[in-house]
Amino acid sequence: MRRHATLWFWAFVGPFALGLAVFTCVPLLWSVGLSFFDAHNSVTPTRFTGLDNYAAMLRDSAFRDSLRTFLLFTAFIVPVTYGFSLALALMVNRVRWARAFFRSVFFLPAACSYVVAALIWKMSVFNGVRFGLANTVLGWFGGDPVAWLSTTDPPWYWLVIVTVRLWLQAGFYMILFLAGLQRIDPALYEAAAVDGARPGWTVLRHITLPQLRATSVAVLLLLVVNAFQAFDEFYNLLSDARGYPPYARPPLVYLYYTALGQGQNLGLGSAGAVILALVIAVVTVAQARWLRLGRTDGDG
């Protein structure tokens, strides 16, 4: 077996590499190529259009509004999810009994399908009728029923979207923070206690957060990418896309209707997908440089 180590390596890695190439790399390259052609109702390029598809997408006010809105959505949902996940991790890490139980309970929503969770939120929790869970709780305090997913002001559907994303994602990032917390040397906390530091914000700021820097950078990068890739919950919660303003749809939902909607303009949709990928890359690189990804405290 040692003489055929390379053969065994490709025997195990080959199927995954082949699937990655066929189902990920080839479609990505084909989509980039398709963005330079006129392709209606077909994935086969017909007429070369150059950068016309890109210019059309950048001139589309609905697409620009969607990008601007989701830059703001990312700026909101990322710190909220980060803070909520970190708070859960800190609480679970301090539990001295049934820690595995609480860890499993909070992580369990991460295994739930986004489609299933969105439908539960839409049909049971925030369905807008008097007997829905959210309106029932409001009724206990004398509040009137709210049409949570209506298109009228105020736009309560953002509350529905934010809560379902928090429920689905917080447990996963909590596990990452827990792993980081368990790697912190307890001697640091003992030394801080000897120096007179009281448990609370001082210890969190000067010991816990600096020791969690690598985990925090990874979590923030994942949160930014996931925010721009939002699709399932928006598509299922806001199923009637015509009734909502363009900025209420994330870029992926807008591109879905562009490429697979009534017009089925796959060339235009591919150009929009490339633009979105470039926006995600620019934001991610800027965030990585701001967070000094890959640098140590001794680097200049």
Side-chain angles (χ1 to χ4, degrees):
M1 292 182 63
R2 292 180 179 178
R3 291 197 301 268
H4 302 285
T6 303
L7 177 62
W8 283 108
F9 170 80
W10 285 110
F12 285 101
V13 177
F16 172 78
L18 181 62
L20 182 66
V22 173
F23 297 107
T24 302
C25 297
V26 172
L28 284 175
L29 295 175
W30 191 266
S31 178
V32 173
L34 201 64
S35 65
F36 297 100
F37 289 86
D38 180 22
H40 283 80
N41 304 316
S42 174
V43 295
T44 302
T46 55
R47 180 175 59 87
F48 182 76
T49 59
L51 298 176
D52 290 348
N53 288 329
Y54 291 90
M57 289 301 298
L58 293 176
R59 288 195 301 265
D60 190 343
S61 60
F63 181 65
R64 296 198 308 269
D65 289 342
S66 178
L67 287 177
R68 281 194 293 265
T69 300
F70 272 79
L71 282 172
L72 297 176
F73 174 73
T74 301
F76 172 78
I77 196 65
V78 168
V80 170
T81 308
Y82 175 90
F84 189 62
S85 302
L86 179 58
L88 285 178
L90 291 172
M91 289 188 295
V92 173
N93 192 57
R94 292 179 64 88
V95 172
R96 299 305 177 189
W97 56 275
R99 179 183 298 181
F101 169 77
F102 289 107
R103 185 170 59 234
S104 302
V105 167
F106 289 129
F107 178 76
L108 191 60
C112 182
S113 167
Y114 274 67
V115 176
V116 173
L119 292 177
I120 292 174
W121 250 243
K122 181 178 182 179
M123 301 176 66
S124 299
V125 182
F126 293 99
N127 58 4
V129 300
R130 185 165 59 90
F131 299 103
L133 178 60
N135 284 334
T136 299
V137 175
L138 281 178
W140 293 344
F141 298 95
D144 296 327
V146 176
W148 299 100
L149 293 175
S150 67
T151 58
T152 58
D153 290 331
W156 290 111
Y157 51 83
W158 285 109
L159 176 63
V160 182
I161 291 168
V162 168
T163 53
V164 71
R165 284 186 70 86
L166 282 175
W167 185 76
L168 285 165
Q169 295 186 349
F172 173 76
Y173 297 110
M174 179 204 69
I175 294 297
L176 299 183
F177 280 124
L178 274 175
L181 288 171
Q182 293 171 2
R183 289 199 304 268
I184 300 177
D185 189 356
L188 295 175
Y189 295 105
E190 296 173 1
V194 171
D195 290 339
R198 291 179 298 178
W201 170 246
T202 302
V203 173
L204 177 66
R205 177 185 176 185
H206 295 286
I207 296 179
T208 305
L209 290 180
Q211 293 295 319
L212 286 177
R213 183 181 179 278
T215 304
S216 296
V217 171
V219 168
L220 289 172
L221 289 175
L222 290 173
L223 283 171
V224 168
V225 175
N226 286 335
F228 276 98
Q229 291 180 339
F231 177 82
D232 294 331
E233 64 271 37
F234 283 87
Y235 181 79
N236 289 279
L237 287 170
L238 311 181
S239 57
D240 185 9
R242 294 169 298 178
Y244 291 88
Y247 56 78
R249 289 175 287 175
L252 282 182
V253 173
Y254 179 82
L255 295 176
Y256 174 82
Y257 284 107
T258 300
L260 300 176
Q262 186 175 2
Q264 292 194 2
N265 193 333
L266 295 173
L268 196 63
S270 298
V274 173
I275 294 173
L276 178 60
L278 292 176
V279 170
I280 295 175
V282 170
V283 173
T284 304
V285 170
Q287 182 189 16
R289 290 182 63 85
W290 179 58
L291 295 172
R292 301 177 66 223
L293 179 65
R295 298 183 185 180
T296 61
D297 294 335
D299 295 336

